[in-house]
Amino acid sequence: MFNSNNSYVAPQSFILNGIPGLERFHVWISLPLFTMYIMSLVGNLGLVYLIHHKEALHRPMYCFLAMLSLTDLLTCTTTLPNALSIFWFDLKKINFNACLVQMFFVHGFTGVESGVLMLMALDRYVAICYPLRYATILTNPIIAKAGLATFLRGMLLMIPFPFLVKRLPFCQDNIISHTYCDHMSVVKLSCASIKVNVIYGLIVVLLIGVFDISCISVSYTMILQAVVSLSSSAARQKAFSTCTAHISAIIITYVPALFTFFTHRFGGHTIPPSLHIIVANLYLLLPPTLNPIVYGVKTKQIRDSVIKFFQGQKIGSS
């Protein structure tokens, strides 16, 4: 944007254009997204409630799962209500500062989510490789400190993003082809060099994404070595079964995240924008929707707690 002296100023607002090329299908696209959002609210709030109230679930693994559920809830809530307002009411305008705030929280909570998944991998490593010392290594103070450190890392590393965007000059275009304010989508509207933003973005990816995936990979490599060395096939099966839910959560989270990251930087001219935006929304919505289902199906303690809860409700009502 230009002021009267032909110098650049920040725009007062942006226009979030939704999914370009699919405007006439916005209402239909919103229906599965809204359904998934309601499922994520019910599933994650239910998980947090169960873990808080059931003493059998007061263990490190479920404490980390409660952290993941809360993070998932916050992640999808920062974007989905805004996307639905675009699809249903055509409310596309967003204030410049509100856009920066949304951008900060979207990237901050996704960074925290990655860190929690890494902590859950370390939890499985300790549980399988050092079962006799599990309770003494992962004490409540250690869990609280690890959770706090993960939260602070995710949030503190995102603080520079709004300031890096705010220093950029914007010319005429203030239309963002997206359903929420994403860092790369916003900076691409600038008429100046965005090299500093890109470099810092890559640094954050290294400090969070690459670091967490490396820790997860090392943890599961050592878990695999420990499990293979077990003499009993039943013991091996039991050890593997405790990891299946977490491995599913990793796949659900990182596959769309990696797709979104690489298409933003390397696939801008080969990937249709509509596909990129749909996957970017699913990247924030799939984990909150599917993680409670995966852990409910794959984890016996959670499954049993859900059954007992509904049986208690049925007895109480009768």
Side-chain angles (χ1 to χ4, degrees), residues 66-89:
M67 293 181 196
L68 182 66
S69 293
L70 289 172
T71 306
D72 281 344
L73 274 174
L74 293 169
T75 301
C76 62
T77 301
T78 57
T79 58
L80 217 6
N82 195 69
L84 293 176
S85 69
I86 295 170
F87 294 150
W88 290 347
F89 310 113

Side-chain angles (χ1 to χ4, degrees), residues 93-137:
K93 183 179 287 188
I94 183 170
N95 178 272
F96 178 75
N97 289 321
C99 182
L100 296 184
V101 170
Q102 185 185 53
M103 180 184 69
F104 168 75
F105 282 113
V106 166
H107 293 300
F109 288 137
T110 52
V112 173
E113 181 181 40
S114 177
V116 174
L117 287 172
M118 182 262 293
L119 293 179
M120 295 174 80
L122 297 177
D123 166 78
R124 292 298 81 207
Y125 163 70
V126 175
I128 292 173
C129 297
Y130 302 98
L132 299 180
R133 298 172 56 195
Y134 180 61
T136 57
I137 294 175

Side-chain angles (χ1 to χ4, degrees), residues 254-275:
Y254 282 115
V255 169
L258 291 172
F259 178 89
T260 301
F261 172 78
F262 285 113
T263 53
H264 249 319
R265 285 159 178 80
F266 310 113
H269 302 292
T270 57
I271 303 296
S274 57
L275 177 60

Side-chain angles (χ1 to χ4, degrees), residues 76-305:
C76 62
T77 301
T78 57
T79 58
L80 217 6
N82 195 69
L84 293 176
S85 69
I86 295 170
F87 294 150
W88 290 347
F89 310 113
D90 205 34
L91 298 175
K92 298 181 177 182
K93 183 179 287 188
I94 183 170
N95 178 272
F96 178 75
N97 289 321
C99 182
L100 296 184
V101 170
Q102 185 185 53
M103 180 184 69
F104 168 75
F105 282 113
V106 166
H107 293 300
F109 288 137
T110 52
V112 173
E113 181 181 40
S114 177
V116 174
L117 287 172
M118 182 262 293
L119 293 179
M120 295 174 80
L122 297 177
D123 166 78
R124 292 298 81 207
Y125 163 70
V126 175
I128 292 173
C129 297
Y130 302 98
L132 299 180
R133 298 172 56 195
Y134 180 61
T136 57
I137 294 175
L138 292 177
T139 60
N140 287 338
I142 292 295
I143 294 169
K145 289 175 183 177
L148 178 62
T150 300
F151 177 80
L152 291 176
R153 182 196 67 164
M155 290 300 176
L156 292 176
L157 284 174
M158 303 306 163
I159 288 176
F161 278 130
F163 297 101
L164 289 174
V165 172
K166 207 155 188 173
R167 74 181 178 84
L168 291 173
F170 292 85
C171 301
Q172 299 297 323
D173 195 3
N174 69 334
I175 298 174
I176 301 173
S177 295
H178 217 307
T179 57
Y180 61 87
C181 291
D182 166 80
H183 176 244
M184 289 304 297
S185 298
V186 174
V187 300
K188 283 179 179 179
L189 299 180
S190 174
C191 45
S193 171
I194 60 171
K195 185 176 181 180
V196 174
N197 296 67
V198 172
I199 291 173
Y200 185 72
L202 291 173
I203 290 172
V204 170
V205 168
L206 288 172
L207 293 177
I208 293 181
V210 174
F211 177 79
D212 291 347
I213 291 173
S214 299
C215 288
I216 291 169
S217 301
V218 171
S219 296
Y220 273 102
T221 300
M222 299 178 77
I223 286 171
L224 186 62
Q225 291 175 346
V227 170
V228 169
S229 65
L230 295 174
S231 56
S232 168
S233 60
R236 286 197 296 269
Q237 180 65 31
K238 183 178 179 181
F240 274 128
S241 67
T242 64
C243 299
T244 53
H246 183 242
I247 293 172
S248 301
I250 292 170
I251 294 170
I252 292 166
T253 301
Y254 282 115
V255 169
L258 291 172
F259 178 89
T260 301
F261 172 78
F262 285 113
T263 53
H264 249 319
R265 285 159 178 80
F266 310 113
H269 302 292
T270 57
I271 303 296
S274 57
L275 177 60
H276 167 75
I277 295 167
I278 290 171
V279 174
N281 279 275
L282 292 177
Y283 153 55
L284 299 179
L285 194 55
L286 270 181
T289 304
L290 296 182
N291 283 343
I293 298 172
V294 168
Y295 276 93
V297 170
K298 295 290 187 181
T299 310
K300 184 177 183 298
Q301 290 89 339
I302 293 177
R303 192 167 61 246
D304 292 344
S305 296

